[in-house]
Amino acid sequence: MAVNPKKQEMPSQAPEVRAHNFQEVALGYTAEMAEGEAKRCLNCKNQPCVAGCPVNIRIPDFIGRIRQGDYEGAYQIISRSSSLPAVCGRVCPQESQCESQCTLRVRAKMDPVGIGRLERFVADWHNANVHEKAQAPAPNGHRVAVVGAGPSGLTCAGDLAKKGYSVTVYEALHTAGGVLVYGIPEFRLPKSIVAKEVETLKELGVKIETNVIIGKTLTVDELFEMGFEAVFIGSGAGLPNFMNIPGEALKGVYSANEFLTRSNLMKAYLEDPDTPIMKGGKVAVVGGGNVAMDAARTALRLGAEKVYIIYRRSMEELPARREEVEHAEEEGIDFRLLCNPVEILGYENPENPRDPKNGFVNGIRCIRMELGEPDASGRRRPVEIAGSEFELDVTAVVIAIGTSPNPLIKNTTGGLEVNRRGGIIVNEEGLTSREHVYAGGDAVTGAATVISAMGAGKTAAKAIDEALRG
Ligand code: FAD
Ligand code: SF4
């Protein structure tokens, strides 16, 4: 039977509707669509897609189960390798991982099998139809502390809990989930999905202590004094980078982390929120990654009349997931490519120092760029075109040019070595320079992906188990 060259389309909310609400954009496959897409898989002997998956999910096997209508069997196969399939099916950059290796794409130049969409279908089916509670195993008598309730910490905690460890997760914020709750917006990843994963961990016996900042409320050394035998640090990379250009201290300039946290976690979209945010007006978002797309689309949903993405390279180099870029374009986000801000402009009324608009953003000055020779990252270096400055009329600016690990834990944990970017140095098992202290995820690599953070949590859990019981 001839293979359909096109991926089964994903049903979605219409752009003009979803631009005004925070509900999920992509609606998921029906069973019929999933089985149709599963039939496109060739069940390749050498399984190139598996090699492209950072946690080596047995992709052709789970797709085979979908073809047979055995969705729970498919779920069981995925969950052997991934503890957050409903999350990964939605946010993994499949186009640069499993799907980039798919034979349909590589050999036949067709659309790859929609592996991510199938993973999401299976996970959603399981969550809607299987309601068994997770069983906590018999305790093995060992205690482990986990710092941070993001994907790396939650995965490490879950894997250890399944082996009978008594695990306590210490989280700085009031809700568990890390970037999955404070960064990625509801319209891309409903918070109920993350809450369900956290519930499952609690059923396994994991204790989650929120509002505890390790390095302030307690130190890593104090955790050992409390009787924990190992500590996993999964504290992420939440420290925003800024551009260091004039005007960054003006009112109406946000880091993407602050902007998204206020909207996602602190519910700034409500009428009278505790932590308000600028709504409406014209917004410039600087950057081209997933974070920039999320900030731009959030600004739109908060009521902005115009939203720009300002990115210094071209569309080809833009690092965000393709699907998010397409969704942003459909929603009317204005992409200003090959340009870079040089100054954020502020309102100042010389005649009235009490004018309430004084000190607020009222524009952004940018310069056009062209691409030169490739730099160390292999991407072509953006070079300024002299004399090409121009101004955009905006009332808020969101800076989304990357984040770094927060130095708090390093500064309060003697002997913990970090690299020059602040990433905690670990060996291939996730062990740091301190005995029995492990780390993984963005705290080690700098801002990366959910799946790589989960992979690091798994690796460390295995190493901790071997160190404490092996
Ligand atoms: P985090 O998710 O950052 O979790 C760390 C947790 O530790 C946080 O809850 C934090 O509050 C807590 N913490 C920090 N310091 C302390 C402390 N001292 N004491 C106690 N707790 C502490 N990746 C994708 O794969 N696909 C995407 O589409 C995608 N979109 C993204 C969109 C946004 C807006 C952002 C910000 C990131 C996105 N990412 C995406 C990246 C991905 O979310 C991260 O790589 C991943 O969450 C890293 O997981 P982590 O567990 O290492 O850290
Ligand atoms: Fe199926 Fe593509 Fe994997 Fe081959 S490479 S088994 S076609 S998903």
Side-chain angles (χ1 to χ4, degrees):
M1 199 179 68
V3 174
N4 185 346
K6 289 264 161 230
K7 229 187 231 185
Q8 169 72 53
E9 286 285 329
M10 176 69 114
S12 304
Q13 280 194 70
E16 60 282 9
V17 176
R18 69 186 192 231
H20 305 289
N21 70 52
F22 277 87
Q23 282 147 32
E24 194 170 15
V25 168
L27 302 174
Y29 281 165
T30 59
E32 200 183 2
M33 289 170 178
E35 287 184 25
E37 184 61 19
K39 283 190 186 128
R40 294 181 67 236
C41 175
L42 307 174
N43 194 10
C44 308
K45 247 200 178 130
N46 54 348
Q47 309 195 332
C49 49
V50 178
C53 170
V55 293
N56 302 120
I57 293 177
R58 284 166 40 210
I59 293 165
D61 296 356
F62 97 73
I63 294 180
R65 293 295 177 101
I66 298 177
R67 262 198 309 267
Q68 295 159 13
D70 177 10
Y71 308 141
E72 181 56 16
Y75 178 83
Q76 292 305 331
I77 292 173
I78 298 175
S79 63
R80 263 177 241 157
S81 314
S82 164
S83 45
L84 303 170
V87 174
C88 294
R90 284 170 166 81
V91 305
C92 266
Q94 291 98 1
E95 71 265 16
S96 57
Q97 297 178 342
C98 52
E99 293 183 16
S100 75
Q101 306 297 316
C102 176
T103 308
L104 290 188
R105 180 179 174 277
V106 176
R107 298 257 180 94
K109 310 291 174 217
M110 296 177 179
D111 278 1
V113 174
I115 301 169
R117 293 174 183 184
L118 290 175
E119 180 183 18
R120 169 187 166 153
F121 166 76
V122 166
D124 287 356
W125 186 91
H126 171 86
N127 287 342
N129 294 284
V130 180
H131 304 289
E132 275 166 22
K133 281 204 164 204
Q135 291 293 323
N140 67 18
H142 294 283
R143 293 179 67 204
V144 177
V146 169
V147 182
S152 65
L154 294 179
T155 304
C156 183
D159 280 17
L160 288 169
K162 284 178 197 157
K163 293 191 163 95
Y165 285 84
S166 163
V167 185
T168 306
V169 180
Y170 292 98
E171 166 55 48
L173 297 174
H174 62 267
T175 309
V179 168
L180 307 182
V181 291
Y182 80 74
I184 303 181
E186 178 81 15
F187 58 80
R188 216 149 65 76
L189 178 64
K191 302 305 154 229
S192 54
I193 290 174
V194 185
K196 176 152 194 321
E197 302 296 351
V198 172
E199 261 330 291
T200 306
L201 287 186
K202 287 185 182 163
E203 285 163 19
L204 283 169
V206 173
K207 294 182 243 358
I208 300 185
E209 302 268 351
T210 52
N211 300 314
V212 179
I213 304 177
I214 301 301
K216 270 200 172 153
T217 328
L218 288 169
T219 63
V220 168
D221 291 311
E222 282 167 344
L223 293 175
F224 284 109
E225 285 163 22
M226 287 159 67
F228 291 106
E229 296 153 85
V231 175
F232 173 79
I233 303 171
S235 48
L239 194 67
N241 300 338
F242 282 93
M243 304 191 69
N244 298 322
I245 57 172
E248 268 182 323
L250 287 165
K251 293 174 206 152
V253 179
Y254 300 89
S255 72
N257 257 24
E258 181 189 349
F259 186 75
L260 289 168
T261 305
R262 281 182 187 235
S263 171
N264 291 330
L265 204 59
M266 307 311 295
K267 306 199 181 345
Y269 49 82
L270 298 175
E271 269 310 303
D272 188 19
D274 290 341
T275 50
I277 200 169
M278 302 260 293
K279 295 179 195 164
K282 294 183 182 171
V283 181
V285 177
V286 184
N290 287 320
V291 184
M293 297 307 128
D294 285 344
R297 297 172 70 200
T298 296
L300 192 71
R301 284 158 173 77
L302 287 170
E305 63 192 78
K306 177 91 188 161
V307 183
Y308 300 101
I309 287 274
I310 300 180
Y311 178 57
R312 62 196 183 134
R313 290 183 161 97
S314 73
M315 193 54 109
E316 216 170 290
E317 291 83 21
L318 198 104
R321 289 178 84 227
R322 235 0 70 197
E323 189 174 87
E324 309 317 329
V325 177
E326 284 164 18
H327 283 163
E329 283 182 313
E330 286 166 8
E331 289 166 14
I333 305 291
D334 189 344
F335 282 71
R336 299 296 175 108
L337 303 170
L338 286 168
C339 57
N340 206 29
V342 288
E343 184 177 359
I344 301 171
L345 310 169
Y347 179 87
E348 218 51 74
N349 181 348
E351 270 143 45
N352 180 6
R354 288 167 176 264
D355 186 331
K357 284 196 265 169
N358 282 346
F360 276 88
V361 171
N362 73 349
I364 187 164
R365 181 173 296 130
C366 302
I367 187 162
R368 295 191 200 285
M369 314 290 281
E370 60 190 352
L371 293 180
E373 293 301 310
D375 61 16
S377 71
R379 293 187 303 171
R380 291 176 64 196
R381 187 193 301 273
V383 183
E384 291 184 355
I385 303 175
S388 66
E389 285 92 343
F390 65 98
E391 285 176 15
L392 291 172
D393 172 19
V394 294
T395 46
V397 175
V398 182
I399 312 279
I401 57 164
T403 52
S404 313
N406 191 309
L408 180 64
I409 293 182
K410 184 239 158 210
N411 291 345
T412 52
T413 312
L416 189 71
E417 285 176 18
V418 300
N419 61 28
R420 67 188 170 78
R421 290 194 180 139
I424 300 173
I425 297 173
V426 295
N427 69 10
E428 64 282 358
E429 295 186 322
L431 180 65
T432 68
S433 51
R434 277 281 304 264
E435 205 184 359
H436 296 310
V437 178
Y438 296 75
D442 285 5
V444 166
T445 56
T449 59
V450 172
I451 192 88
S452 52
M454 274 175 42
K458 269 193 169 308
T459 304
K462 189 161 172 276
I464 291 171
D465 183 41
E466 278 161 16
L468 297 186
R469 294 198 304 173

